[in-house]
Amino acid sequence: YASETRDGGDSGDTGLSWTLLKVLRLTRLARLIRLMRFKIFTELKLMFMGLLSGLRALAWALVLLMGIIYTVAIVAKSMFGSIVAEFKSVNAAMFTLFRCLTDTCETLEGELIPELLFHRYGEAFGISYILFTMLITVGLFNLIMAVFIDNVTKSQNQRKQRELSQTATSVENQLKIMLAKFTRDPRAADEHSRSLLHRLSEDALSRLRGLTEIGFFQNQAEEKRVADASFQILQDADIVITRQVFEAWLCDLDFIRMLEDADVDVSNKSGLFQVLDINSGGELSADEVLTGLMTLRGDVSKGDVVAILLRVMELTNRMTLLQQKLEEHPWQWRE
């Protein structure tokens, strides 16, 4: 008996060990989450994160729906419990009401419950049933869907803005290095456009070539140092980019891939230069290209709209002040 007990205990321990081992092996599936870092899984990541962000709204919607169904189930049990077997208890009535709102509303024998109760109670039940169904299916269900979508969309926008903020420094460094590389090789057939870029001295061109030929950076600090040094060379040389040169860049797959990784919309390539050329001078400085591309990252947010509104208000105040000065001392401006 002792031997059997010991063997039985060993068998139980072995079974428990195997169960724990299987659970631990299943945890390896968590490594699949790392695959979401690849661009091909962007949509899957968005759906997964959207589902997680909408779970709270979905939970409260379920509580509201169950509260309404529970209240109506109590009334249905007291009124129809003796007629329809599906309403004999509160639990059965709740399940039947849920089926009536989402699927079929039938008894076990296949008879339609609304038809059965309508023949028993007449138009009063018919009107009540229509109002209740419209209130839940058209009103509550659509309200739940609207709140869920709004919650998911808001969470996605906030998450996107956080990602843009977190990657701003890295993207800026990559854009600086990319601008330096393409300045060294403008890739434009127009000789006039190429000559505008060839304002670099031999020493500056040599230093720029040495900096941009580094293919791998050990850390972000080294990348920032190379990016700042390369961009400083462009600023000191007063490099300008014409429309022809910029359009030639937009035909390069490396440049397009860089803009897409930076979350810059390149669907309208023909209008991108005009967006960056704020003074309509036909040329872009290195600062204008960098600042413009960094500003174009992501979708339009509330902060962008408010910033424009504040700028317009500031300009309006300055113009009003200037008009007052002109009206008070017109002779000074005539001279």
Side-chain angles (χ1 to χ4, degrees), residues 179-180 183 200 208 230-239 286:
L179 288 176
T183 299
L200 294 171
L208 188 63
S230 302
F231 196 72
Q232 187 63 44
I233 296 175
L234 302 183
Q235 290 178 316
D236 295 340
D238 293 330
I239 293 297

Side-chain angles (χ1 to χ4, degrees), residues 235-252:
Q235 290 178 316
D236 295 340
D238 293 330
I239 293 297
V240 293
I241 297 95
T242 62
R243 177 184 290 273
Q244 293 81 1
V245 173
F246 191 79
E247 290 179 352
W249 289 1
L250 290 177
C251 295
D252 191 278

Side-chain angles (χ1 to χ4, degrees), residues 80-279:
F80 313 131
S82 59
I83 303 173
V84 182
E86 283 73 15
F87 291 115
K88 284 187 176 181
S89 65
V90 176
N91 293 335
M94 290 181 63
F95 182 71
T96 303
L97 288 172
F98 185 79
R99 284 196 304 112
C100 291
L101 294 173
T102 57
D103 195 12
T104 57
C105 192
E106 300 176 349
T107 62
L108 293 177
E109 293 76 16
E111 188 176 3
L112 294 176
I113 296 177
E115 292 292 336
L116 177 63
L117 296 178
F118 179 76
H119 289 301
R120 179 65 179 269
Y121 293 98
E123 296 179 355
F125 171 80
I127 295 175
S128 302
Y129 178 76
I130 292 174
L131 292 177
F132 175 73
T133 304
M134 292 294 294
L135 176 66
I136 300 299
T137 57
V138 179
L140 183 60
F141 284 173
N142 287 329
L143 178 62
I144 292 173
M145 183 64 68
V147 172
F148 180 79
I149 293 176
D150 180 70
N151 187 273
V152 171
T153 304
K154 184 177 179 180
S155 300
Q156 293 284 20
N157 291 335
Q158 292 176 348
R159 187 180 301 109
K160 189 65 176 180
Q161 293 299 322
R162 287 196 297 268
E163 291 179 358
L164 292 176
S165 178
Q166 293 171 358
T167 59
T169 302
S170 176
V171 170
E172 183 178 357
N173 294 336
Q174 295 174 14
L175 285 176
K176 287 180 179 179
I177 296 175
M178 182 64 70
L179 288 176
K181 289 181 179 179
F182 277 73
T183 299
R184 189 188 66 187
D185 182 14
R187 310 185 185 192
D190 185 8
E191 292 297 331
H192 176 67
S193 300
R194 295 176 67 91
S195 65
L196 292 175
L197 293 171
H198 290 167
R199 299 179 180 181
L200 294 171
S201 63
E202 292 297 331
D203 179 63
L205 187 60
S206 177
R207 289 189 292 117
L208 188 63
R209 185 179 295 109
L211 290 171
T212 55
E213 287 180 352
I214 301 177
F216 176 76
F217 301 99
Q218 296 181 353
N219 49 53
Q220 189 173 0
E222 181 182 0
E223 182 183 27
K224 180 174 176 57
R225 179 187 63 80
V226 173
D228 291 342
S230 302
F231 196 72
Q232 187 63 44
I233 296 175
L234 302 183
Q235 290 178 316
D236 295 340
D238 293 330
I239 293 297
V240 293
I241 297 95
T242 62
R243 177 184 290 273
Q244 293 81 1
V245 173
F246 191 79
E247 290 179 352
W249 289 1
L250 290 177
C251 295
D252 191 278
L253 294 179
D254 292 335
F255 190 72
I256 293 297
R257 191 178 299 110
M258 176 63 206
L259 295 182
E260 290 178 348
D261 292 340
D263 203 11
V264 176
D265 185 14
V266 292
S267 56
N268 185 16
K269 298 180 181 179
S270 60
L272 189 56
F273 182 87
Q274 185 176 357
V275 172
L276 300 178
D277 189 15
I278 56 177
N279 58 359

Side-chain angles (χ1 to χ4, degrees), residues 40-63:
I40 193 174
F41 296 104
T42 301
E43 290 76 11
L44 178 61
K45 179 183 177 181
L46 290 177
M47 289 187 288
F48 180 73
M49 299 301 295
L51 179 61
L52 291 180
S53 61
L55 283 179
R56 185 173 63 177
L58 196 60
W60 283 115
L62 184 61
V63 170

Side-chain angles (χ1 to χ4, degrees), residues 268-312:
N268 185 16
K269 298 180 181 179
S270 60
L272 189 56
F273 182 87
Q274 185 176 357
V275 172
L276 300 178
D277 189 15
I278 56 177
N279 58 359
S280 301
E283 297 177 351
L284 298 175
S285 65
D287 286 322
E288 287 178 333
V289 175
L290 179 64
T291 304
L293 292 179
M294 290 297 295
T295 306
L296 287 174
R297 296 184 66 212
D299 299 327
V300 179
S301 63
K302 180 181 178 181
D304 298 328
V305 178
V306 173
I308 295 175
L309 179 61
L310 294 177
R311 297 269 180 99
V312 172

